[in-house]
Amino acid sequence: MAEQMRSATVMLEKALSSPQTLEDLKTDPEATLKKLEAQVIQGLPPPDDKTAARLWLIVVSSFALVLLFCVVVLGIGVFAKLDAGVTYAVKGDTILTVFTTVVGFLAGLLAPSPISKKGA
């Protein structure tokens, strides 16, 4: 199995590879570390397709679970008996706000990108 590339390891290797960088670290460590950070970030590859797909699956699944939870809570709220003088743990308007926000997020995933030229 290939060793995973770690940004801290790459940054250390870049710092140790040049004597000038080591001197710069002694004189102005903050600026040198920021410069090394920028170089390392530019050199790291973007996540592969498998990782990106997994991240999207986690995000969309989380929002879908919140959507289902809101539907259940709103459904229970419709059929719940209201008693005078009772304080409820969940306010319907708050759950409705979360529900519409999640629906808007999931609908936004289906909308075409505003910077793509496919819809033009």
Side-chain angles (χ1 to χ4, degrees), residues 47-71:
D48 59 349
D49 289 341
K50 184 178 177 182
T51 304
R54 193 174 210 168
L55 289 172
W56 272 110
L57 183 65
I58 291 170
V59 168
V60 173
S61 298
S62 300
F63 274 92
L65 286 174
V66 169
L67 179 69
L68 290 175
F69 175 75
C70 290
V71 166

Side-chain angles (χ1 to χ4, degrees), residues 1-54:
M1 186 170 143
E3 184 178 338
Q4 185 177 12
M5 184 185 302
R6 303 211 181 268
S7 59
T9 307
V10 174
M11 192 169 180
L12 177 66
E13 289 172 359
K14 277 193 172 290
L16 294 176
S17 66
S18 166
Q20 180 60 40
T21 305
L22 291 174
E23 286 299 318
D24 291 345
L25 278 170
K26 290 177 186 174
T27 58
D28 189 11
E30 186 176 348
T32 307
L33 286 174
K34 285 182 180 181
K35 186 172 75 172
L36 282 172
E37 177 189 28
Q39 291 173 356
V40 169
I41 288 174
Q42 289 176 354
L44 289 176
D48 59 349
D49 289 341
K50 184 178 177 182
T51 304
R54 193 174 210 168

Side-chain angles (χ1 to χ4, degrees), residues 55-103:
L55 289 172
W56 272 110
L57 183 65
I58 291 170
V59 168
V60 173
S61 298
S62 300
F63 274 92
L65 286 174
V66 169
L67 179 69
L68 290 175
F69 175 75
C70 290
V71 166
V72 168
V73 170
L74 284 172
I76 290 172
V78 168
F79 298 109
K81 186 172 97 174
L82 298 175
D83 296 329
V86 176
T87 303
Y88 294 96
V90 177
K91 294 182 179 181
D93 55 341
T94 304
I95 295 297
L96 185 60
T97 302
V98 173
F99 174 78
T100 55
T101 302
V102 170
V103 168

